[in-house]
Amino acid sequence: MSTVATPVGLPQEEPRPTTNYLNADNTIKGWLLTTDHKRIAILYLISITIMFAIGSFFAGLIRIELTSPVGRLLESESYNKVFTEHGVVMIFFFLIPSIPAVLGNFILPIAIGARDLAFPRLNLLSWYLYIIAAGLGFLAIVTGGFDTGWTFYTPYSSFYSNGQVTMAIMAAFIAGFSSITTGINFIVTVHKMRAPGMTWFRMPIFVWNNYTTGVIIILGTPVIAITLLLVVIERVFRFGIFSPELGGDPVLFQHMFWFYSHPAVYIMILPSMGVVTEIIANFSRKRLFGYHFVAFSTIAIGALGFLVWGHHMFVSSQSMYQGVVFSLISYLVAVPSAVKVFNWATTMYKGQVQLHTPMLFALGFIGLFVIGGLTGLFLANMGTDVHLTNTYFVVAHFHYVMVGGAVLGYMGGIHYWWPKMFGKMYPDAWGKASALLTYIGFNLTFMPQFIVGWLGMPRRYHYYYLQPEFQPYHIASTLGATVLALGMILPAFYLTWSLKYGEPATANPWGAHGLEWEIPSPPPTENFEKIPIVTDEVYDFDHIVDVHHGVATEGGDTH
Amino acid sequence: MSADAHAPSKYKPGEIAWGAEHHIQPVSTYVKTIGLLFILMVATIGAAQFAIPDFKIGGLDIPGTFFNNIIAMTIAVIKATLVVMYFMHVKISTPLTKFWAAIGFIWMTLIFFILADYATRPLDPTIARPWTSDPGSAAPKMRGGPMSEDADKININVRPRQ
Amino acid sequence: MHQYEDIDQQNESYAVGMWTFLVTEVMMFGALFMAYTFYRWRYAESFYSAHEHIKTWPGAVNTTLLLISSFTMVMAVHYTQLKKTKLVLQNLAATIVCACAFLFVKIVFEYIPKFQDHLLPGPNFHWNTKEYGGSENVAQIFYSFYFTMTGLHGIHVLVGILIIGFIALLHHKKVPAIVDDYMITEMVALYWHFVDLVWIFLFPLYYLIPK
């Protein structure tokens, strides 16, 4: 196997077209006022990477601080600001937009055979809203920071905190609108812009998942928008809605906050599951097992996800009976996720599994997401949750699903579609190194946190001198974080390197199935010369793009 | 969308541009709808003037205002349905449009599930009094905070309490 | 770039797109209605006392104004479909007039008297418990909700006025994009009817609380 994932090209390959969406209009205006969904995806890619770097910086600070039981690096207030900003930046400015805004924007229209999204200018507005929000968030961070926790619990956030809470909330508010416009675009596009012959059940699962994510976005984001707006109103105008001094109820804030924030985690994970489904099917060269089950499980996760918010509030004085209902439905919502995992496994069984970089990320996803999901069950159980809530067990759980799940899916998707997006192959060996380092570093970072959480280490504490025996776990965790950081930084180098020096990619370097693999890499601005008429079923590996695009058909090995 | 915004209109004067689902409604539809809406508005104002007295059903104490609220909300829902169906043209829209028009209102009812928490708290075996007769009295006083005696010296907004 | 094949696809996309946006607005106001319902259920008597200061007649006038504006808005769409620009402009103007009158009544006859009577929550809030009864703290919660919900609705009305004014300008200039296809005007009308819808629910909840 060569170090570069070389596509098999036949000598009489068609000449590569010279104009594509990247070099079509190389002025600043052509990029900043573009309505091309592919360019907007690239703009998002750059912005999101910057925000990810900022969020990672705070993560680094947290891990360094926790190596010492007395917390030498930061004061308590500063540490509160650091973990708050880590959470806000990572959730609102990285995880929620990541896959939909970058990969969804780029691939979704092509995958259903459209020339663009339904509302291209709304798409551009979405990016500008994101930039404004990110700028405002950054401003809030550097002009004093905010220390309420990303959950902005009242009355601390609405009355007593002295940080830049208003600015931070406005940043999250505007980011919410960026999210909503993307959701609207995806929903209408999938309903109305599919190519002839592209029925709902011929759509790739990636499209199903982004569609469902769009639905969750429009149903959930407005609730947090108004909730945060109420906090700002209470802060700025001193109205009293959640304040206990007037007889208000802070738990009402928690209800309203988590009503969105739980579906939000499904906004973060569903697109990632979509990416993983694409990768697993295409790198096993086998039809997805149980396609209908996977598609309907996506809808089920989206719907059930709205009924479980109370599991974040088991110890909040919420009614016990309510808690029982939430606990039950939380167990139920694990079932569709399990359905997906079973279907991925059976897809790989007796397939011709090719362990290229995207596949490594997808396999990593399955392992880490399963661990994250199973540990969630401990938290969904009201009894064990009383012991585990607000400990590092929770922190480890959500990092397993968010980083081990969503981020690994994002990285896998970037590596999978990079040749399509930029027309260049990256060195596969470096990609595999990055995937392996990420996987190992991640486990080393967060597995000790399960243990130390079980032993009683609370979250959001920067000192633990009362229990100095926790220190080895924290040191292991920080060590892992260093390895993880290395694994995350590597792609920045070899992917950027590939832009200039990478091997040019053909239209279908992976031998994958899908409309996006039938157009040149990088695609022309209008995507398709002629809108295709779709006759294949989905993941139909008997009918891959013909030899002109350099890949053998009949499911043959590409090496 | 359409081409150059300054190109001459491609429709001749008097010619009708329409999408598939929106036939042109007769004006009488709109007039009838607005008439009904005004009647319902008067009805809801009228109904609010008479508070239904409290009564008992077999030992259960029912506040009469409960029914006032039901009547008011029913009238509001009917008005809303009229506006949605006729003014917003949902009645003559495609099934897809009808679906998206309906789903928002249906999903909104999920938020009201939050109230079930407070409704079931009295059933809790522990003493969970969700509300007191003197709202705000249970809130702790913070030293140097907004409810302390030296709040004036601290110069922050103080909510007056009795 | 033309991403639509025909006008039917485009118009239905616009309709569905606008409705998905209205779904977000429904969820946003719905959460506020839920919070209001919660507190009203919890402090029913104090809410009744607190609402005594709110007079019914400005609310009724405002409801009438918004209903009329909804009617003129749908007539404007109707005439856009019939391509009778003069009637379109007249109806759009009537809508704007009604909307401005709505804001005028609200600010002059409702908000300003409340500001003068120390009913704006905050440090200057004062509730005359002897005259109206009920708890002062709950009255402050009630008025917090009142100003938040009617204020948010008022901002939506203001934005609506600006948008309707803008499309009236486009109609006046006979810009082909807006004259040829009625869908843009219809989308603005959908937004405006939604604003009316919110008021249909706000009106009984704030102005018509029974004893």
Side-chain angles (χ1 to χ4, degrees):
Chain A
M1 195 152 53
S2 57
T3 51
V4 177
T6 331
V8 171
L10 297 179
Q12 57 270 34
E13 206 177 300
E14 274 174 16
R16 177 184 308 281
T18 46
T19 28
N20 52 57
Y21 79 98
L22 282 170
N23 54 31
D25 175 2
N26 259 334
T27 60
I28 299 265
K29 204 171 120 182
W31 275 92
L32 291 182
L33 290 180
T34 182
T35 51
D36 182 3
H37 66 103
K38 301 180 286 298
R39 288 192 160 195
I40 294 176
I42 306 301
L43 291 174
Y44 261 113
L45 177 64
I46 300 171
S47 346
I48 281 174
T49 309
I50 295 173
M51 296 312 282
F52 182 61
I54 296 176
S56 305
F57 166 70
F58 289 119
L61 281 180
I62 294 175
R63 284 297 356 137
I64 295 175
E65 171 77 355
L66 286 173
T67 51
S68 145
V70 298
R72 288 185 216 281
L73 187 66
L74 298 166
E75 296 285 330
S76 293
E77 251 198 51
S78 310
Y79 182 76
N80 292 352
K81 291 184 182 172
V82 165
F83 70 68
T84 304
E85 287 152 11
H86 169 70
V88 167
V89 168
M90 283 305 204
I91 290 178
F92 291 112
F93 296 105
F94 174 64
L95 279 173
I96 286 179
S98 61
I99 297 179
V102 177
L103 299 172
N105 261 335
F106 199 103
I107 297 294
L108 191 143
I110 307 177
I112 57 172
R115 293 201 186 284
D116 205 318
L117 288 174
F119 307 120
R121 287 173 294 187
L122 197 67
N123 203 10
L124 184 66
L125 176 69
S126 168
W127 183 70
Y128 274 108
L129 287 174
Y130 176 82
I131 293 297
I132 294 172
L136 203 59
F138 187 70
L139 195 62
I141 291 174
V142 301
T143 55
F146 40 100
D147 60 349
T148 56
W150 83 272
T151 46
F152 291 111
Y153 274 10
T154 55
Y156 184 60
S157 61
S158 61
F159 203 84
Y160 297 103
S161 169
N162 284 325
Q164 291 284 15
V165 177
T166 305
M167 209 188 293
I169 286 184
M170 291 319 292
F173 186 80
I174 299 174
F177 277 100
S178 165
S179 196
I180 285 176
T181 45
T182 302
I184 293 177
N185 241 328
F186 282 4
I187 293 174
V188 179
T189 306
V190 172
H191 272 294
K192 296 299 299 175
M193 315 273 298
R194 283 170 284 128
M198 175 65 76
T199 62
W200 278 87
F201 292 111
R202 282 185 183 161
M203 292 196 316
I205 292 292
F206 180 70
V207 177
W208 271 97
N209 283 37
N210 275 290
Y211 169 77
T212 310
T213 304
V215 176
I216 301 178
I217 287 177
I218 62 156
L219 290 174
T221 315
V223 179
I224 201 178
I226 192 63
T227 311
L228 293 179
L229 200 66
L230 286 177
V231 174
V232 166
I233 289 175
E234 198 165 333
R235 230 179 127 74
V236 171
F237 297 114
R238 294 290 186 234
F239 286 10
I241 295 178
F242 301 120
S243 52
E245 293 95 349
L246 296 176
D249 190 10
V251 177
L252 182 67
F253 171 85
Q254 292 187 27
H255 273 297
M256 291 169 77
F257 177 85
W258 287 111
F259 188 86
Y260 162 75
S261 300
H262 191 81
V265 316
Y266 295 111
I267 294 176
M268 299 185 241
I269 200 69
L270 279 179
S272 185
M273 288 174 161
V275 171
V276 166
T277 311
E278 292 300 311
I279 295 176
I280 300 258
N282 282 300
F283 283 84
S284 310
R285 307 303 299 283
K286 197 163 155 259
R287 300 195 59 168
L288 178 69
F289 189 91
Y291 170 87
H292 286 75
F293 273 94
V294 177
F296 286 124
S297 71
T298 308
I299 306 284
I301 292 177
L304 284 175
F306 271 94
L307 300 174
V308 296
W309 75 87
H311 67 222
H312 300 269
M313 297 167 57
F314 282 143
V315 295
S316 68
S317 85
Q318 175 181 256
S319 148
M320 185 184 80
Y321 295 96
Q322 187 93 327
V324 165
V325 172
F326 283 129
S327 179
L328 177 68
I329 305 183
S330 303
Y331 270 84
L332 282 179
V333 82
V335 172
S337 305
V339 164
K340 285 184 190 280
V341 172
F342 292 137
N343 280 299
W344 292 326
T346 41
T347 304
M348 284 191 281
Y349 179 66
K350 288 202 176 155
Q352 293 157 347
V353 175
Q354 293 158 1
L355 292 175
H356 295 304
T357 306
M359 189 59 165
L360 288 188
F361 278 110
L363 291 174
F365 174 102
I366 298 182
L368 299 177
F369 178 75
V370 166
I371 296 178
L374 288 177
T375 51
L377 294 175
F378 289 95
L379 298 167
N381 184 312
M382 281 170 79
T384 49
D385 187 70
V386 172
H387 175 66
L388 295 171
T389 194
N390 273 337
T391 62
Y392 258 84
F393 194 93
V394 178
V395 174
H397 156 72
F398 66 68
H399 280 95
Y400 260 84
V401 281
M402 288 295 109
V403 180
V407 175
L408 243 61
Y410 176 67
M411 298 301 286
I414 295 280
H415 284 79
Y416 177 52
W417 278 302
W418 187 267
K420 175 58 55 185
M421 289 163 74
F422 296 103
K424 295 291 175 74
M425 300 297 293
Y426 51 86
D428 204 37
W430 281 104
K432 291 188 179 153
S434 160
L436 237 43
L437 280 174
T438 304
Y439 187 80
I440 293 172
F442 176 86
N443 275 311
L444 192 53
T445 310
F446 290 103
M447 189 57 77
Q449 292 186 9
F450 278 127
I451 303 172
V452 83
W454 183 266
L455 292 174
M457 168 89 190
R459 60 185 288 204
R460 297 176 168 174
Y461 274 40
H462 75 118
Y463 56 77
Y464 47 95
Y465 53 78
L466 297 171
Q467 304 286 108
E469 61 267 25
F470 291 164
Q471 189 174 22
Y473 297 102
H474 280 294
I475 292 185
S477 190
T478 304
L479 205 65
T482 318
V483 177
L484 178 63
L486 187 59
M488 289 274 150
I489 288 179
L490 273 181
F493 289 107
Y494 62 77
L495 288 179
T496 322
W497 176 90
S498 77
L499 287 179
K500 195 156 174 269
Y501 302 107
E503 176 98 11
T506 58
N508 195 353
W510 309 114
H513 180 273
L515 284 175
E516 72 265 28
W517 302 108
E518 295 179 15
I519 59 176
S521 318
T525 307
E526 69 275 7
N527 293 346
F528 300 94
E529 238 175 283
K530 236 173 30 141
I531 297 289
I533 298 182
V534 177
T535 48
D536 308 354
E537 293 305 314
V538 67
Y539 307 120
D540 187 354
F541 287 98
D542 295 329
H543 296 109
I544 304 200
V545 179
D546 63 17
V547 295
H548 285 285
H549 293 275
V551 176
T553 55
E554 306 303 317
D557 191 56
T558 52
H559 292 288
Chain B
M1 214 179 71
S2 48
D4 181 15
H6 298 290
S9 167
K10 54 186 186 286
Y11 294 92
K12 302 188 202 50
E15 212 179 351
I16 293 162
W18 57 15
E21 74 269 22
H22 279 226
H23 312 295
I24 303 199
Q25 300 279 285
V27 178
S28 60
T29 312
Y30 302 136
V31 171
K32 280 189 261 185
T33 311
I34 191 75
L36 261 177
L37 285 169
F38 277 124
I39 293 174
L40 286 169
M41 177 185 84
V42 171
T44 195
I45 296 178
Q49 309 305 323
F50 312 105
I52 298 176
D54 300 345
F55 56 92
K56 278 173 160 342
I57 292 184
L60 226 63
D61 252 323
I62 314 249
T65 50
F66 179 65
F67 289 99
N68 274 92
N69 290 328
I70 292 189
I71 294 175
M73 281 298 109
T74 311
I75 296 180
V77 166
I78 297 176
K79 285 167 81 177
T81 313
L82 284 171
V83 169
V84 167
M85 283 296 188
Y86 293 104
F87 280 176
M88 295 171 100
H89 299 136
V90 167
K91 193 156 199 288
I92 53 168
S93 286
T94 58
L96 183 65
T97 314
K98 286 192 167 105
F99 173 77
W100 284 104
I103 197 71
F105 299 100
I106 296 173
W107 213 254
M108 184 186 78
T109 58
L110 270 186
I111 305 186
F112 285 82
F113 188 44
I114 291 178
L115 299 177
D117 170 23
Y118 298 98
T120 49
R121 282 200 199 179
L123 304 170
D124 258 350
T126 58
I127 302 173
R129 273 188 302 269
W131 49 84
T132 68
S133 53
D134 181 17
S137 59
K141 290 189 199 307
M142 275 179 58
R143 195 178 44 198
M147 286 167 295
S148 62
E149 291 81 16
D150 53 356
D152 288 342
K153 301 188 200 118
I154 297 175
N155 195 32
I156 58 175
N157 280 344
V158 177
R159 281 197 205 84
R161 297 182 70 226
Q162 60 270 51
Chain C
M1 141 127 46
H2 299 248
Q3 72 272 28
Y4 292 108
E5 296 292 310
D6 58 35
I7 192 79
D8 292 348
Q9 186 195 25
Q10 177 181 299
N11 279 356
E12 196 181 349
S13 300
Y14 284 173
V16 175
M18 194 62 201
W19 271 108
T20 48
F21 171 68
L22 290 181
V23 165
T24 67
E25 294 273 5
V26 167
M27 292 305 283
M28 192 165 87
F29 276 101
L32 276 176
F33 279 112
M34 183 280 302
Y36 171 88
T37 308
F38 166 62
Y39 282 115
R40 174 152 156 191
W41 169 40
R42 179 168 165 158
Y43 298 122
E45 237 189 71
S46 287
F47 259 53
Y48 176 77
S49 309
H51 116 287
E52 290 267 78
H53 193 279
I54 298 185
K55 297 182 193 32
T56 311
W57 73 263
V61 167
N62 274 345
T63 309
T64 315
L65 284 171
L66 271 189
L67 287 178
I68 296 176
S69 74
S70 256
F71 176 72
T72 53
M73 192 68 213
V74 78
M75 291 309 293
V77 173
H78 180 76
Y79 289 123
T80 312
Q81 287 176 312
L82 294 175
K83 305 178 84 60
K84 298 189 173 151
T85 309
K86 203 157 83 105
L87 285 164
V88 172
L89 287 173
Q90 284 175 353
N91 276 295
L92 288 180
T95 310
I96 294 180
V97 164
C98 287
C100 290
F102 174 92
L103 287 178
F104 178 80
V105 168
K106 175 169 283 315
I107 294 177
V108 169
F109 292 104
E110 292 195 70
Y111 279 12
I112 292 188
K114 289 193 178 44
F115 296 160
Q116 289 168 339
D117 288 339
H118 299 280
L119 287 177
L120 181 69
N124 294 322
F125 185 84
H126 175 71
W127 179 248
N128 195 338
T129 317
K130 285 191 224 22
E131 192 180 335
Y132 297 109
S135 149
E136 177 168 10
N137 288 335
V138 173
Q140 197 164 23
I141 293 184
F142 175 82
Y143 281 101
S144 301
F145 269 101
Y146 171 79
F147 282 109
T148 305
M149 289 181 80
T150 56
L152 195 62
H153 179 258
I155 292 176
H156 280 78
V157 171
L158 186 62
V159 168
I161 293 175
L162 294 172
I163 297 178
I164 295 175
F166 180 63
I167 61 162
L169 194 64
L170 294 180
H171 272 283
H172 176 66
K173 287 195 164 13
K174 296 205 196 293
V175 172
I178 203 155
V179 169
D180 288 347
D181 182 22
Y182 75 102
M183 204 59 208
I184 308 281
T185 318
E186 168 82 343
M187 290 207 299
V188 175
L190 283 177
Y191 172 80
W192 188 252
H193 291 127
F194 175 76
V195 168
D196 189 23
L197 268 182
V198 174
W199 184 259
I200 286 176
F201 284 98
L202 273 183
F203 177 54
L205 285 180
Y206 280 103
Y207 295 85
L208 302 176
I209 301 183
K211 170 73 176 151

